Amino acid sequence: MIEEKNLQEYHSLQELRENFSLAELFDLAKKKILGEWLEMNFYFNDAKKIYDAVTNEIDDAELKLLICKIFSLNFDDLTADELEKISALIGKNQRNELFLKYDNAAENSAYVETQSELVKALQGGANILYLYGAEFRIPVELHDKIYIGCNNAVIDFTHESDIDLDARNIIFEDVQIYLHHPITLKMEKSQNVKILNGTKKTLSLRPTLKEIFEIMRGRNAFESAEKFKNRAEDLRGVAVGETLLEDKNYTFAANNFSLSPQWNFDFVSIVKDFARDKNFFLTIAPVHAEQLYNNERKLQIFADFTYIDGKLTILNLYFETVTLGRIKIESVLRELQNKISSGGGLGYGLHIIAAYYHKHRY
C-alpha cells in the first residue's frame, strides 16, 4: 500500500523512482502529496507542473506522461488506451514546441488543434494563433489577431458581405479559406492564402433554384412518368453537400479517402434515402491525394439526379476540383466496409506519404 511507504525517507527523484511505481506516483499526485514532496525537496519547477496539472484536472494519461517525464520512467505499466493517448499528446507537444519556439512573444501565442481550443485561446487573450490541421471559424469581430496555418488548416467563412480584414488588423498566413458566399476579402497584409470556392450552387447554367425546389416536390398530377424522368435528369451538377479531407482518413493500402459529408439541408430528405447504410470514399493515388489535400482540402459535393420508383433520387456524386478535375465519389455498404477495415486495410495517412515516396523512389 502507498500509505505504508514514508515519503519523508526519500530526498531525490532517483530514490522515488526506485521505490514507487508509476501507479503509486500517480495516486500521490492526485492527492497533491507528490507536489508537496517535490516542493519540500527543492524541485520547485516540477512541483509547480504537478500542482498545475492536478488543479486544472488534466486527462489522466497526460498526468501520467508528466510523471514519466519528471521521473524518467518508461511506459511499461500503461494500458493500450493510455499509450495511444500519450502518443497523441507527445505528437501535439512536439508540434506545439516546433511552432511556438519561433515566436518572440510566446506569452501572447497559442497553438490550437480544435475550434474549442481556439475559443479558449482567444478568451485567454492570445493574439498570435497557430491553427493546426483542422477547420476553424474565425471571429472577425476580434481585431489585431494573426492566424498562422499549419498542416493545411482551413478557415470556414460563412459571412455574407465583404470584409476589410486589413482595417481590422486581422492577418492570415499559410491557410486555406473556404467561402460560402461570393464575397471579397481585403487582406493585403496576409500571405500565402488559398481561396476555396464554396459559392457555386450548380455547375450547369440550368436548372434554376426555383426549378430545383419544384422538382423536389415530386411528380405532379398532370405529367407523365416519362416527362418527370426527363425533368429529373436535367438536374446535373447540383451542390448537395461538402466535406473536409482529413489525412488520418487516407488509407494508403487501398488508395482512398473515407469521407464524412455534411449534406445541404435542402436535399437532406433525398440524401437520407440515397445514403442509408452506405459509407462514401474517394479512390485516388497517393501523389494525387496529397496534391488535392494541399490545395483543396474542403470541397463541395455535386450530384446528378434521376427518377426511380416514383421519386427523385441521386444518380451519382462527385467533386469538381481545380487540381484534378472531376472525381467520382464512390460508396460501399457499411457492412462490407467494416469487413475491409477490420482486415487491416487502414493506411497511414498523408503525413508519411512524401517520406515514403522519397525513400522508395530509387
Side-chain angles (χ1 to χ4, degrees), residues 136-152:
F136 301 90
R137 292 196 175 214
I138 301 300
V140 296
E141 294 77 15
L142 297 182
H143 297 194
D144 305 316
K145 304 293 181 184
I146 299 175
Y147 298 95
I148 302 172
C150 316
N151 194 36
N152 298 304

Side-chain angles (χ1 to χ4, degrees), residues 34-264:
L34 183 60
E36 293 174 358
W37 181 91
L38 289 165
E39 193 171 39
M40 289 177 59
N41 288 278
F42 312 122
Y43 295 103
F44 297 114
N45 288 335
D46 293 330
K48 184 179 185 306
K49 291 177 183 177
I50 293 292
Y51 281 139
D52 289 345
V54 174
T55 301
N56 293 323
E57 297 181 345
I58 66 171
D59 186 88
D60 287 353
E62 191 167 1
L63 179 56
K64 288 181 180 180
L65 172 61
L66 177 60
I67 293 170
C68 286
K69 286 182 176 180
I70 292 174
F71 290 91
S72 301
L73 298 173
N74 59 40
F75 298 150
D76 292 346
D77 295 331
L78 296 172
T79 66
D81 286 343
E82 288 172 336
L83 282 171
E84 185 175 351
K85 286 184 179 180
I86 285 178
S87 177
L89 287 167
I90 290 173
K92 180 176 179 179
N93 289 341
Q94 289 174 339
R95 293 192 295 271
N96 188 5
E97 292 171 3
L98 173 65
F99 292 111
L100 293 189
K101 73 180 182 180
Y102 297 111
D103 181 15
N104 293 325
E107 67 275 11
N108 294 322
S109 302
Y111 170 85
V112 299
E113 294 191 358
T114 66
Q115 182 68 23
S116 177
E117 291 176 353
L118 173 61
V119 171
K120 291 178 182 177
L122 290 169
Q123 290 174 340
N127 293 323
I128 302 175
L129 293 304
Y130 292 89
L131 313 178
Y132 187 86
E135 180 179 19
F136 301 90
R137 292 196 175 214
I138 301 300
V140 296
E141 294 77 15
L142 297 182
H143 297 194
D144 305 316
K145 304 293 181 184
I146 299 175
Y147 298 95
I148 302 172
C150 316
N151 194 36
N152 298 304
V154 173
I155 295 177
D156 192 60
F157 258 88
T158 59
H159 302 80
E160 299 183 16
S161 56
D162 296 348
I163 302 173
D164 188 341
L165 296 171
D166 290 340
R168 303 173 189 225
N169 200 28
I170 296 175
I171 299 172
F172 295 130
E173 295 181 14
D174 305 324
V175 297
Q176 300 190 39
I177 295 180
Y178 185 85
L179 296 179
H180 287 259
H181 302 280
I183 65 172
T184 299
L185 300 177
K186 185 178 180 183
M187 48 180 185
E188 294 179 4
K189 297 180 181 179
S190 300
Q191 58 184 344
N192 194 24
V193 176
K194 297 174 183 175
I195 300 296
L196 308 179
N197 186 6
T199 67
K200 293 182 294 186
K201 299 306 179 188
T202 61
L203 291 175
S204 57
L205 295 177
R206 56 186 308 269
T208 65
L209 195 58
K210 179 177 182 295
E211 288 173 316
I212 292 174
F213 289 145
E214 283 296 323
I215 202 167
M216 286 175 63
R217 295 170 60 186
R219 177 183 166 195
N220 66 55
F222 307 106
E223 70 179 332
S224 66
E226 184 65 24
K227 185 176 180 180
F228 182 71
K229 184 175 186 293
N230 291 337
R231 270 210 302 149
E233 292 182 349
D234 278 342
L235 289 179
R236 297 188 177 276
V238 180
V240 295
E242 58 191 34
T243 194
L244 181 73
L245 301 179
E246 298 278 6
D247 60 355
K248 64 184 179 182
N249 291 335
Y250 188 79
T251 304
F252 191 86
N255 286 358
N256 69 41
F257 274 112
S258 58
L259 306 176
S260 298
Q262 300 295 314
W263 302 108
N264 185 329

Side-chain angles (χ1 to χ4, degrees), residues 228-229 232-233 235 304-308 311-315:
F228 182 71
K229 184 175 186 293
E233 292 182 349
L235 289 179
D304 294 337
F305 290 82
T306 190
Y307 168 79
I308 297 177
K311 59 183 177 181
L312 183 69
T313 189
I314 293 173
L315 181 63

Side-chain angles (χ1 to χ4, degrees), residues 339-356:
K339 289 180 181 178
I340 293 172
S341 299
S342 62
L346 290 180
Y348 311 104
L350 289 176
H351 58 286
I352 70 157
I353 286 176
Y356 179 90

